[in-house]
Amino acid sequence: MADSSAATQSPSVSSSSSGAEPSAPGGGSGSSGTCPTLGTKSCGSFCAVHDLIFWRDVKKTGFVFGATLIMLLSLAAFSVISVVSYLILALLSVTISFRVYKSVIQAVQKSEEGHPFKAYLDLDITLSSEAFHNYMNAAMVHVNKALKFIIRLFLVEDLVDSLKLAVFMWLMTYVGAVFNGITLLILADLLVFSVPIVYEKYKTQIDHYVGIVRDQTKSIVEKIQAKVPGIAKKKAE
């Protein structure tokens, strides 16, 4: 009887224990090994970017957002050479002032702590040839895909895709007449740090209206494809 009762109890115990384990990674959004977008997969740098634009760490995101916005506004008002020069001067002012301050403190206290940046000077920041080749190979994969995609668009492999590019470029001519490149980068920076968090808060309402727009766009594309003989024939085959 003891064996039979143990046998009947073991499935429930194992099922409860096995059910508790998968919920652990997703139980907290701040777990280090998982990402809400990727599920149980290791997120790495993608998860860091995800947490950054979704304001998981307010101080870190605020610093990055403020720094990028100030830099872009500076580029809009001054030349690139001036902005880079001022940034380097500001950084040197901080490091030189701190170096002199620590030297004075060490001279007054007669301590031998050494260089205040010694820990950072001893860091190994050299890039090995193997790591360099790995980065280059990964970059070449994306470059080859981009080149193939561009050739498909300009040589009209798919008429609808090429027409979409033409319409988009036509709209961009009007955008370029109103905004310059720096202004667009400033707007992009504002959107990157505002749209994701707004979408996360109002996801249901936004998905509803996006679905309506998607259905209308799909119906318009289908009408265009029906009127173009080559595309209609290709779909029929």
Side-chain angles (χ1 to χ4, degrees):
M1 293 296 291
D3 295 336
S4 60
S5 62
T8 55
Q9 290 178 0
S10 59
S12 61
V13 174
S14 61
S15 62
S16 62
S17 61
S18 62
E21 291 177 358
S23 61
S29 59
S31 59
S32 59
T34 59
C35 184
T37 306
L38 299 177
T40 57
K41 294 181 179 180
S42 179
C43 53
S45 59
F46 180 86
C47 191
V49 174
H50 178 276
D51 292 341
L52 187 68
I53 64 177
F54 278 89
W55 295 78
R56 297 293 184 254
D57 188 343
V58 178
K59 292 182 179 180
K60 184 177 180 180
T61 303
F63 173 77
V64 174
F65 174 57
T68 54
L69 186 60
I70 291 173
M71 181 178 293
L72 291 173
L73 291 174
S74 301
L75 290 173
F78 305 101
S79 65
V80 177
I81 297 175
S82 298
V83 173
V84 172
S85 300
Y86 281 125
L87 288 175
I88 294 175
L89 282 174
L91 181 60
L92 284 174
S93 299
V94 173
T95 55
I96 292 173
S97 300
F98 186 74
R99 176 76 168 86
V100 172
Y101 169 76
K102 294 296 292 185
S103 298
V104 172
I105 294 297
Q106 291 176 17
V108 172
Q109 296 179 353
K110 296 182 178 180
S111 61
E112 297 183 0
E113 296 180 1
H115 199 288
F117 300 116
K118 181 174 176 52
Y120 299 99
L121 291 172
D122 293 338
L123 287 176
D124 185 13
I125 58 174
T126 57
L127 184 64
S128 63
S129 59
E130 182 179 357
F132 178 77
H133 285 103
N134 290 335
Y135 288 130
M136 289 300 297
N137 291 333
M140 286 303 298
V141 172
H142 296 290
V143 170
N144 290 331
K145 288 183 179 179
L147 290 175
K148 187 176 182 180
F149 182 69
I150 291 171
I151 292 174
R152 286 181 58 252
L153 290 175
F154 281 96
L155 298 184
V156 198
E157 180 179 354
D158 191 327
L159 181 59
V160 175
D161 290 339
S162 299
L163 288 174
K164 289 179 181 178
L165 177 62
V167 172
F168 178 74
M169 290 294 105
W170 175 69
L171 293 175
M172 290 302 294
T173 58
Y174 289 95
V175 174
V178 179
F179 305 104
N180 57 23
I182 295 297
T183 306
L184 290 177
L185 289 176
I186 293 172
L187 292 175
D189 187 61
L190 293 172
L191 291 175
V192 165
F193 287 97
S194 60
V195 171
I197 190 67
V198 172
Y199 174 75
E200 187 180 46
K201 189 174 182 180
Y202 302 100
K203 185 177 185 300
T204 305
Q205 297 89 329
I206 294 175
D207 286 343
H208 172 68
Y209 291 108
V210 170
I212 295 175
V213 174
R214 186 186 295 112
D215 293 338
Q216 292 180 351
T217 304
K218 185 178 179 181
S219 63
I220 293 173
V221 171
E222 289 177 350
K223 290 178 181 179
I224 294 175
Q225 290 177 345
K227 292 181 180 180
V228 179
I231 298 178
K233 183 178 179 180
K234 184 178 179 181
K235 289 183 69 178
E237 292 176 352

